[in-house]
Structures are given as structure tokens and as C-alpha cells.
Amino acid sequence: MEFEFEGRTEKEAIDRAAGELGLEKDDFDVEILETQKSGLFKKGLVRIRVHVGNFASSFKPSSRPAEGNSYAGGGMDRDRIGGPASKVVFGEPAPQNEFEEKMIEFTSGLIDRMGYPGKASILFRDKNKLGIKIDSGHSSILIGKKGKNLDALQLLLNIYAGRLGKEETRIILDTENYRIRREESLVRLAYNVAEKVRESRGSVLLEPMNPFDRWLIHTTLNDIGDVETKSEGDGLYKQVRVFYRGLKQG
């Protein structure tokens, strides 16, 4: 389920979401849709989309549900491994329970049937998150262009986890540390684009990205006073527009 909230800051919007949904902040994932800096004649605004699992279906928030539903190809927008709110446990790579055993078996069987066999193991364990790592000589193919193959595989794992009765558990799939390398690349991209926007006093529309990648762009540029960002488009893979503050947006 998805809901949208607004606030003057990211924290205020998240606090409002937690209050209206009746959930703890760690119980949902956040996608930043738009950030607007405060100015002399306008107040700051942050618009977010909150993703919650079926465990929250009994709540009746006052906010209007957003259209669509997604498992977020690159992980939810708050799935940064090792982030401030994270309680990730790295340790035993072997499955520790029946659910983990089935997830590892499904992952291995999936890539084997694709013709790109490899070894799957547990990468990390976190509250309502489970990381799975693939070691394969075909990692570049499994990752695909801009990580889209890896995103698609991760989506299938999340669907399977739901069929096992674990809808509240997010599966994060990685290979060759692609997620971390991608994150570093996007941070560099964000700063480079911001510099171009500041020089041109215009805007730049980035390539379509999954929710986590977009969240990374938004938060990286959130503290740059004369640059703003917003998501455009429909579906899971939206585009982020980076624009100079004061540039009229349609």
C-alpha cells in the first residue's frame, strides 16, 4: 500500500506519515517525490510517498492512497544498507530458518533456469529486510544495463517472499557489490548535474530510475540551497528533474 504526505521538511513529512498511519518510522519505506526550498515569499515543501506492507492494512489513515503499487526495483527508498536507522546484521551466510532456505533455493533455481548459474547466500539480516548475494561468473549479465536485470530478479524474489507469507519482509538482491557501486556513481552524478544547473540557471532531466536511485538523488542535493529536485512521470521508473531555484516549473 502507498500513501502520500507533505511537510515543510523531510522529517515533518515522515513524522506526519507515522502519526496518521499509526506506525513506527521503521515500519515503512519512504520515497521523496519533490523538495522545494523555503524562500522569502514561499515556504519549504517536501512531498513523500510512503510504502507500507500488508501488516498495516488494518489502519485507516486520513491521507488519500496513491495510485499503483510497487516493490521498488532497487529496494525501497530507505533500503540503504548501513544507513542511520539501520540495524543490519552481517554474519552467517548460510540460511538460519525455513524462510531463508526457501529464498536461497528459489534464487539459485531462478538463475540456474536462466542459464547463468551461481551461488546464492545471505548477505545481511535486518528488521523486515533480508539481503541475498549472488556469486556468479555471469554477474554482469545478471546485473544488466543500469541494474535493471538485478531489479527484475529482486522483484521476483519479493513476490515469492509474499507468497511465503512474508509480505512485510523486503528482499534486497546484490551481486559484485553493485548496489554500493551504483550508489557512489549516483552521488557523483547528482553533484555534477547540480553544478551544471547552477551554471546554466536551467534544468536537467535525468534518466528513468527506480525509487531508491531517485531518493538518493533527492537527498544528495537536498542541502544545496539554489538547486531543487522533483520526480516526473508515471510508473516505477520515473525521472528526476534537477533545476535551478527560481526557474519557473510547469
Tab-separated table of all heavy atoms in Angstrom, residues 158-207:
chain	number	residue	atom	x	y	z
A	158	ASN	N	10.817	-10.718	-4.148
A	158	ASN	CA	9.856	-10.108	-3.241
A	158	ASN	C	8.466	-10.702	-3.412
A	158	ASN	O	7.734	-10.895	-2.445
A	158	ASN	CB	9.829	-8.594	-3.449
A	158	ASN	CG	10.915	-7.888	-2.672
A	158	ASN	OD1	10.811	-7.705	-1.458
A	158	ASN	ND2	11.971	-7.495	-3.349
A	159	ILE	N	8.102	-10.984	-4.668
A	159	ILE	CA	6.808	-11.619	-4.925
A	159	ILE	C	6.776	-13.010	-4.300
A	159	ILE	O	5.786	-13.404	-3.662
A	159	ILE	CB	6.541	-11.700	-6.444
A	159	ILE	CG1	6.343	-10.287	-7.015
A	159	ILE	CG2	5.321	-12.568	-6.737
A	159	ILE	CD1	6.219	-10.247	-8.522
A	160	TYR	N	7.860	-13.744	-4.453
A	160	TYR	CA	7.929	-15.085	-3.877
A	160	TYR	C	7.877	-15.024	-2.348
A	160	TYR	O	7.195	-15.843	-1.717
A	160	TYR	CB	9.210	-15.781	-4.328
A	160	TYR	CG	9.351	-17.200	-3.826
A	160	TYR	CD1	8.472	-18.194	-4.245
A	160	TYR	CD2	10.356	-17.550	-2.931
A	160	TYR	CE1	8.587	-19.499	-3.781
A	160	TYR	CE2	10.487	-18.840	-2.463
A	160	TYR	CZ	9.598	-19.813	-2.893
A	160	TYR	OH	9.723	-21.100	-2.418
A	161	ALA	N	8.572	-14.051	-1.769
A	161	ALA	CA	8.543	-13.896	-0.309
A	161	ALA	C	7.106	-13.646	0.154
A	161	ALA	O	6.676	-14.157	1.192
A	161	ALA	CB	9.454	-12.752	0.124
A	162	GLY	N	6.355	-12.855	-0.627
A	162	GLY	CA	4.963	-12.608	-0.290
A	162	GLY	C	4.130	-13.872	-0.336
A	162	GLY	O	3.251	-14.090	0.509
A	163	ARG	N	4.403	-14.730	-1.307
A	163	ARG	CA	3.667	-15.993	-1.406
A	163	ARG	C	3.996	-16.925	-0.246
A	163	ARG	O	3.208	-17.829	0.070
A	163	ARG	CB	3.983	-16.667	-2.737
A	163	ARG	CG	3.409	-15.923	-3.946
A	163	ARG	CD	3.723	-16.625	-5.243
A	163	ARG	NE	3.109	-15.924	-6.384
A	163	ARG	CZ	3.270	-16.278	-7.652
A	163	ARG	NH1	4.013	-17.329	-7.947
A	163	ARG	NH2	2.679	-15.583	-8.615
A	164	LEU	N	5.145	-16.703	0.371
A	164	LEU	CA	5.526	-17.494	1.543
A	164	LEU	C	4.963	-16.900	2.834
A	164	LEU	O	5.265	-17.383	3.924
A	164	LEU	CB	7.053	-17.592	1.648
A	164	LEU	CG	7.767	-18.355	0.530
A	164	LEU	CD1	9.275	-18.315	0.754
A	164	LEU	CD2	7.282	-19.809	0.465
A	165	GLY	N	4.159	-15.860	2.696
A	165	GLY	CA	3.562	-15.230	3.865
A	165	GLY	C	4.440	-14.191	4.527
A	165	GLY	O	4.210	-13.803	5.665
A	166	LYS	N	5.457	-13.707	3.794
A	166	LYS	CA	6.389	-12.724	4.355
A	166	LYS	C	6.297	-11.396	3.592
A	166	LYS	O	7.305	-10.815	3.203
A	166	LYS	CB	7.822	-13.266	4.280
A	166	LYS	CG	8.073	-14.493	5.135
A	166	LYS	CD	8.101	-14.134	6.616
A	166	LYS	CE	8.508	-15.329	7.468
A	166	LYS	NZ	8.627	-14.960	8.900
A	167	GLU	N	5.064	-10.903	3.421
A	167	GLU	CA	4.878	-9.656	2.675
A	167	GLU	C	5.600	-8.486	3.319
A	167	GLU	O	6.004	-7.537	2.644
A	167	GLU	CB	3.386	-9.319	2.571
A	167	GLU	CG	2.555	-10.326	1.809
A	167	GLU	CD	1.968	-11.396	2.721
A	167	GLU	OE1	2.425	-11.505	3.883
A	167	GLU	OE2	1.063	-12.111	2.265
A	168	GLU	N	5.774	-8.537	4.638
A	168	GLU	CA	6.405	-7.413	5.335
A	168	GLU	C	7.921	-7.409	5.204
A	168	GLU	O	8.583	-6.430	5.579
A	168	GLU	CB	6.026	-7.440	6.825
A	168	GLU	CG	6.758	-8.463	7.672
A	168	GLU	CD	6.255	-9.904	7.503
A	168	GLU	OE1	5.320	-10.113	6.702
A	168	GLU	OE2	6.790	-10.808	8.171
A	169	THR	N	8.496	-8.496	4.675
A	169	THR	CA	9.953	-8.592	4.543
A	169	THR	C	10.393	-8.157	3.151
A	169	THR	O	9.938	-8.705	2.151
A	169	THR	CB	10.432	-10.036	4.797
A	169	THR	OG1	10.055	-10.434	6.119
A	169	THR	CG2	11.946	-10.124	4.668
A	170	ARG	N	11.286	-7.171	3.092
A	170	ARG	CA	11.820	-6.695	1.820
A	170	ARG	C	13.097	-7.468	1.495
A	170	ARG	O	14.005	-7.569	2.328
A	170	ARG	CB	12.152	-5.199	1.898
A	170	ARG	CG	10.989	-4.326	2.331
A	170	ARG	CD	9.830	-4.408	1.368
A	170	ARG	NE	8.738	-3.531	1.785
A	170	ARG	CZ	7.554	-3.489	1.218
A	170	ARG	NH1	7.297	-4.266	0.188
A	170	ARG	NH2	6.615	-2.675	1.659
A	171	ILE	N	13.162	-7.984	0.302
A	171	ILE	CA	14.344	-8.722	-0.135
A	171	ILE	C	15.230	-7.786	-0.953
A	171	ILE	O	14.786	-7.175	-1.921
A	171	ILE	CB	13.953	-9.948	-0.991
A	171	ILE	CG1	12.921	-10.812	-0.247
A	171	ILE	CG2	15.206	-10.760	-1.340
A	171	ILE	CD1	13.407	-11.337	1.089
A	172	ILE	N	16.499	-7.681	-0.556
A	172	ILE	CA	17.475	-6.863	-1.264
A	172	ILE	C	18.468	-7.801	-1.927
A	172	ILE	O	19.160	-8.558	-1.249
A	172	ILE	CB	18.233	-5.911	-0.310
A	172	ILE	CG1	17.261	-5.171	0.607
A	172	ILE	CG2	19.083	-4.933	-1.125
A	172	ILE	CD1	16.255	-4.328	-0.107
A	173	LEU	N	18.525	-7.779	-3.257
A	173	LEU	CA	19.396	-8.671	-4.008
A	173	LEU	C	20.606	-7.914	-4.536
A	173	LEU	O	20.476	-6.816	-5.081
A	173	LEU	CB	18.627	-9.293	-5.177
A	173	LEU	CG	19.396	-10.321	-6.032
A	173	LEU	CD1	19.755	-11.549	-5.208
A	173	LEU	CD2	18.556	-10.717	-7.240
A	174	ASP	N	21.789	-8.506	-4.386
A	174	ASP	CA	23.004	-7.845	-4.859
A	174	ASP	C	23.991	-8.877	-5.395
A	174	ASP	O	23.912	-10.064	-5.074
A	174	ASP	CB	23.663	-7.065	-3.718
A	174	ASP	CG	24.607	-5.979	-4.226
A	174	ASP	OD1	24.699	-5.789	-5.455
A	174	ASP	OD2	25.255	-5.321	-3.389
A	175	THR	N	24.904	-8.406	-6.215
A	175	THR	CA	25.997	-9.230	-6.713
A	175	THR	C	27.159	-8.316	-7.073
A	175	THR	O	26.947	-7.208	-7.600
A	175	THR	CB	25.575	-10.066	-7.948
A	175	THR	OG1	26.674	-10.896	-8.359
A	175	THR	CG2	25.157	-9.197	-9.110
A	176	GLU	N	28.376	-8.736	-6.758
A	176	GLU	CA	29.573	-7.942	-7.040
A	176	GLU	C	29.488	-6.531	-6.441
A	176	GLU	O	30.027	-5.571	-6.995
A	176	GLU	CB	29.796	-7.835	-8.556
A	176	GLU	CG	30.031	-9.164	-9.255
A	176	GLU	CD	31.373	-9.784	-8.884
A	176	GLU	OE1	32.254	-9.041	-8.413
A	176	GLU	OE2	31.531	-11.013	-9.060
A	177	ASN	N	28.781	-6.408	-5.287
A	177	ASN	CA	28.637	-5.107	-4.617
A	177	ASN	C	28.073	-4.033	-5.544
A	177	ASN	O	28.408	-2.850	-5.432
A	177	ASN	CB	29.981	-4.636	-4.051
A	177	ASN	CG	30.469	-5.515	-2.909
A	177	ASN	OD1	29.677	-5.948	-2.077
A	177	ASN	ND2	31.757	-5.780	-2.885
A	178	TYR	N	27.210	-4.440	-6.468
A	178	TYR	CA	26.673	-3.494	-7.439
A	178	TYR	C	25.912	-2.362	-6.776
A	178	TYR	O	26.042	-1.192	-7.188
A	178	TYR	CB	25.739	-4.197	-8.426
A	178	TYR	CG	25.009	-3.218	-9.310
A	178	TYR	CD1	25.646	-2.609	-10.390
A	178	TYR	CD2	23.685	-2.853	-9.040
A	178	TYR	CE1	24.988	-1.685	-11.187
A	178	TYR	CE2	23.022	-1.924	-9.832
A	178	TYR	CZ	23.675	-1.346	-10.896
A	178	TYR	OH	23.025	-0.415	-11.677
A	179	ARG	N	25.108	-2.665	-5.746
A	179	ARG	CA	24.282	-1.633	-5.119
A	179	ARG	C	25.150	-0.498	-4.563
A	179	ARG	O	24.833	0.677	-4.715
A	179	ARG	CB	23.441	-2.241	-3.990
A	179	ARG	CG	22.496	-3.363	-4.402
A	179	ARG	CD	21.361	-2.870	-5.256
A	179	ARG	NE	20.410	-3.927	-5.560
A	179	ARG	CZ	19.521	-3.872	-6.530
A	179	ARG	NH1	19.459	-2.810	-7.312
A	179	ARG	NH2	18.682	-4.860	-6.752
A	180	ILE	N	26.244	-0.853	-3.898
A	180	ILE	CA	27.128	0.160	-3.323
A	180	ILE	C	27.808	0.954	-4.429
A	180	ILE	O	27.909	2.189	-4.365
A	180	ILE	CB	28.176	-0.500	-2.409
A	180	ILE	CG1	27.483	-1.132	-1.195
A	180	ILE	CG2	29.212	0.527	-1.941
A	180	ILE	CD1	28.416	-1.893	-0.282
A	181	ARG	N	28.298	0.260	-5.467
A	181	ARG	CA	28.972	0.953	-6.567
A	181	ARG	C	28.007	1.881	-7.292
A	181	ARG	O	28.368	2.987	-7.691
A	181	ARG	CB	29.578	-0.062	-7.530
A	181	ARG	CG	30.739	-0.842	-6.945
A	181	ARG	CD	31.451	-1.692	-7.979
A	181	ARG	NE	30.672	-2.876	-8.344
A	181	ARG	CZ	30.080	-3.061	-9.507
A	181	ARG	NH1	30.168	-2.134	-10.447
A	181	ARG	NH2	29.404	-4.172	-9.755
A	182	ARG	N	26.781	1.456	-7.458
A	182	ARG	CA	25.760	2.269	-8.111
A	182	ARG	C	25.457	3.515	-7.272
A	182	ARG	O	25.328	4.619	-7.804
A	182	ARG	CB	24.485	1.436	-8.298
A	182	ARG	CG	23.274	2.201	-8.805
A	182	ARG	CD	23.428	2.674	-10.218
A	182	ARG	NE	22.168	3.183	-10.741
A	182	ARG	CZ	22.057	3.887	-11.861
A	182	ARG	NH1	23.125	4.168	-12.589
A	182	ARG	NH2	20.873	4.315	-12.279
A	183	GLU	N	25.397	3.324	-5.967
A	183	GLU	CA	25.120	4.451	-5.081
A	183	GLU	C	26.214	5.518	-5.193
A	183	GLU	O	25.930	6.717	-5.299
A	183	GLU	CB	25.016	3.968	-3.634
A	183	GLU	CG	24.715	5.062	-2.635
A	183	GLU	CD	24.464	4.520	-1.249
A	183	GLU	OE1	23.998	3.369	-1.133
A	183	GLU	OE2	24.727	5.247	-0.279
A	184	GLU	N	27.462	5.084	-5.175
A	184	GLU	CA	28.574	6.033	-5.298
A	184	GLU	C	28.521	6.767	-6.631
A	184	GLU	O	28.778	7.974	-6.706
A	184	GLU	CB	29.899	5.284	-5.148
A	184	GLU	CG	30.116	4.702	-3.755
A	184	GLU	CD	31.352	3.825	-3.687
A	184	GLU	OE1	31.859	3.435	-4.763
A	184	GLU	OE2	31.798	3.525	-2.573
A	185	SER	N	28.184	6.053	-7.698
A	185	SER	CA	28.094	6.651	-9.026
A	185	SER	C	26.984	7.693	-9.092
A	185	SER	O	27.150	8.764	-9.692
A	185	SER	CB	27.848	5.550	-10.063
A	185	SER	OG	27.621	6.088	-11.347
A	186	LEU	N	25.843	7.404	-8.451
A	186	LEU	CA	24.720	8.337	-8.485
A	186	LEU	C	25.004	9.595	-7.676
A	186	LEU	O	24.562	10.687	-8.046
A	186	LEU	CB	23.458	7.646	-7.951
A	186	LEU	CG	22.820	6.633	-8.900
A	186	LEU	CD1	21.695	5.886	-8.200
A	186	LEU	CD2	22.292	7.321	-10.151
A	187	VAL	N	25.723	9.460	-6.575
A	187	VAL	CA	26.089	10.641	-5.780
A	187	VAL	C	26.975	11.570	-6.608
A	187	VAL	O	26.778	12.788	-6.637
A	187	VAL	CB	26.806	10.229	-4.480
A	187	VAL	CG1	27.424	11.449	-3.791
A	187	VAL	CG2	25.830	9.541	-3.530
A	188	ARG	N	27.940	10.986	-7.330
A	188	ARG	CA	28.803	11.802	-8.193
A	188	ARG	C	27.980	12.472	-9.295
A	188	ARG	O	28.171	13.651	-9.610
A	188	ARG	CB	29.903	10.932	-8.808
A	188	ARG	CG	30.971	10.476	-7.820
A	188	ARG	CD	32.184	9.937	-8.554
A	188	ARG	NE	31.858	8.758	-9.354
A	188	ARG	CZ	31.922	7.521	-8.902
A	188	ARG	NH1	32.301	7.281	-7.652
A	188	ARG	NH2	31.622	6.497	-9.685
A	189	LEU	N	27.051	11.701	-9.884
A	189	LEU	CA	26.193	12.240	-10.934
A	189	LEU	C	25.384	13.418	-10.411
A	189	LEU	O	25.267	14.458	-11.081
A	189	LEU	CB	25.252	11.155	-11.449
A	189	LEU	CG	24.148	11.615	-12.411
A	189	LEU	CD1	24.756	12.102	-13.716
A	189	LEU	CD2	23.154	10.481	-12.673
A	190	ALA	N	24.813	13.267	-9.223
A	190	ALA	CA	23.974	14.325	-8.645
A	190	ALA	C	24.749	15.626	-8.492
A	190	ALA	O	24.270	16.704	-8.878
A	190	ALA	CB	23.428	13.861	-7.290
A	191	TYR	N	25.955	15.551	-7.954
A	191	TYR	CA	26.759	16.758	-7.761
A	191	TYR	C	27.179	17.382	-9.097
A	191	TYR	O	27.196	18.608	-9.237
A	191	TYR	CB	27.988	16.444	-6.915
A	191	TYR	CG	27.680	16.297	-5.442
A	191	TYR	CD1	28.090	15.171	-4.735
A	191	TYR	CD2	26.983	17.285	-4.752
A	191	TYR	CE1	27.807	15.038	-3.380
A	191	TYR	CE2	26.696	17.154	-3.406
A	191	TYR	CZ	27.114	16.031	-2.718
A	191	TYR	OH	26.829	15.905	-1.377
A	192	ASN	N	27.517	16.543	-10.075
A	192	ASN	CA	27.909	17.061	-11.387
A	192	ASN	C	26.751	17.779	-12.075
A	192	ASN	O	26.927	18.852	-12.666
A	192	ASN	CB	28.422	15.925	-12.280
A	192	ASN	CG	29.768	15.393	-11.842
A	192	ASN	OD1	30.541	16.097	-11.184
A	192	ASN	ND2	30.074	14.155	-12.190
A	193	VAL	N	25.565	17.178	-11.998
A	193	VAL	CA	24.394	17.790	-12.614
A	193	VAL	C	24.026	19.080	-11.893
A	193	VAL	O	23.656	20.078	-12.527
A	193	VAL	CB	23.204	16.806	-12.596
A	193	VAL	CG1	21.915	17.518	-13.006
A	193	VAL	CG2	23.466	15.636	-13.545
A	194	ALA	N	24.126	19.078	-10.571
A	194	ALA	CA	23.821	20.283	-9.800
A	194	ALA	C	24.727	21.435	-10.219
A	194	ALA	O	24.280	22.586	-10.348
A	194	ALA	CB	23.974	20.009	-8.304
A	195	GLU	N	25.995	21.146	-10.447
A	195	GLU	CA	26.932	22.177	-10.857
A	195	GLU	C	26.562	22.726	-12.238
A	195	GLU	O	26.620	23.946	-12.469
A	195	GLU	CB	28.349	21.599	-10.887
A	195	GLU	CG	29.434	22.638	-11.115
A	195	GLU	CD	29.490	23.684	-10.026
A	195	GLU	OE1	29.124	23.366	-8.874
A	195	GLU	OE2	29.880	24.834	-10.321
A	196	LYS	N	26.153	21.854	-13.157
A	196	LYS	CA	25.738	22.305	-14.487
A	196	LYS	C	24.494	23.188	-14.409
A	196	LYS	O	24.380	24.204	-15.106
A	196	LYS	CB	25.459	21.093	-15.379
A	196	LYS	CG	26.686	20.282	-15.747
A	196	LYS	CD	26.313	19.105	-16.635
A	196	LYS	CE	27.552	18.285	-16.991
A	196	LYS	NZ	27.203	17.106	-17.836
A	197	VAL	N	23.557	22.783	-13.543
A	197	VAL	CA	22.315	23.546	-13.387
A	197	VAL	C	22.600	24.927	-12.809
A	197	VAL	O	22.015	25.929	-13.224
A	197	VAL	CB	21.339	22.761	-12.488
A	197	VAL	CG1	20.210	23.655	-12.001
A	197	VAL	CG2	20.772	21.564	-13.247
A	198	ARG	N	23.503	24.999	-11.870
A	198	ARG	CA	23.838	26.280	-11.251
A	198	ARG	C	24.517	27.212	-12.267
A	198	ARG	O	24.314	28.425	-12.238
A	198	ARG	CB	24.755	26.056	-10.048
A	198	ARG	CG	24.099	25.241	-8.949
A	198	ARG	CD	25.068	24.871	-7.853
A	198	ARG	NE	25.301	25.980	-6.940
A	198	ARG	CZ	26.100	25.889	-5.873
A	198	ARG	NH1	26.737	24.761	-5.619
A	198	ARG	NH2	26.259	26.929	-5.083
A	199	GLU	N	25.307	26.629	-13.149
A	199	GLU	CA	25.999	27.444	-14.152
A	199	GLU	C	25.048	27.925	-15.243
A	199	GLU	O	25.132	29.059	-15.704
A	199	GLU	CB	27.135	26.633	-14.781
A	199	GLU	CG	28.292	26.333	-13.834
A	199	GLU	CD	29.344	25.460	-14.474
A	199	GLU	OE1	29.127	25.011	-15.615
A	199	GLU	OE2	30.394	25.208	-13.830
A	200	SER	N	24.120	27.046	-15.646
A	200	SER	CA	23.210	27.385	-16.744
A	200	SER	C	21.937	28.090	-16.287
A	200	SER	O	21.211	28.654	-17.102
A	200	SER	CB	22.813	26.107	-17.502
A	200	SER	OG	22.014	25.268	-16.683
A	201	ARG	N	21.651	28.045	-14.969
A	201	ARG	CA	20.399	28.587	-14.414
A	201	ARG	C	19.193	27.921	-15.074
A	201	ARG	O	18.132	28.529	-15.233
A	201	ARG	CB	20.319	30.104	-14.612
A	201	ARG	CG	21.446	30.891	-13.949
A	201	ARG	CD	21.394	30.754	-12.437
A	201	ARG	NE	22.221	31.739	-11.764
A	201	ARG	CZ	23.494	31.549	-11.400
A	201	ARG	NH1	24.076	30.375	-11.673
A	201	ARG	NH2	24.172	32.481	-10.770
A	202	GLY	N	19.367	26.668	-15.470
A	202	GLY	CA	18.295	25.928	-16.132
A	202	GLY	C	17.932	24.658	-15.386
A	202	GLY	O	17.933	24.628	-14.154
A	203	SER	N	17.644	23.603	-16.147
A	203	SER	CA	17.269	22.324	-15.532
A	203	SER	C	17.816	21.170	-16.357
A	203	SER	O	18.110	21.318	-17.537
A	203	SER	CB	15.750	22.202	-15.416
A	203	SER	OG	15.142	22.017	-16.687
A	204	VAL	N	17.924	20.016	-15.714
A	204	VAL	CA	18.377	18.790	-16.369
A	204	VAL	C	17.438	17.660	-15.943
A	204	VAL	O	17.163	17.486	-14.751
A	204	VAL	CB	19.822	18.435	-15.974
A	204	VAL	CG1	20.206	17.065	-16.539
A	204	VAL	CG2	20.797	19.503	-16.469
A	205	LEU	N	16.954	16.911	-16.918
A	205	LEU	CA	16.092	15.767	-16.647
A	205	LEU	C	16.938	14.502	-16.738
A	205	LEU	O	17.499	14.194	-17.793
A	205	LEU	CB	14.939	15.708	-17.646
A	205	LEU	CG	13.874	14.639	-17.406
A	205	LEU	CD1	13.154	14.884	-16.082
A	205	LEU	CD2	12.869	14.620	-18.552
A	206	LEU	N	17.026	13.767	-15.646
A	206	LEU	CA	17.847	12.568	-15.609
A	206	LEU	C	17.111	11.377	-16.200
A	206	LEU	O	15.904	11.406	-16.424
A	206	LEU	CB	18.256	12.267	-14.164
A	206	LEU	CG	19.023	13.379	-13.436
A	206	LEU	CD1	19.373	12.935	-12.014
A	206	LEU	CD2	20.288	13.751	-14.204
A	207	GLU	N	17.843	10.301	-16.429
A	207	GLU	CA	17.270	9.083	-16.986
A	207	GLU	C	16.274	8.459	-16.006
A	207	GLU	O	16.315	8.741	-14.807
A	207	GLU	CB	18.393	8.068	-17.252
A	207	GLU	CG	19.093	7.641	-15.958
A	207	GLU	CD	20.243	6.693	-16.215
A	207	GLU	OE1	19.971	5.615	-16.727
A	207	GLU	OE2	21.378	7.038	-15.878
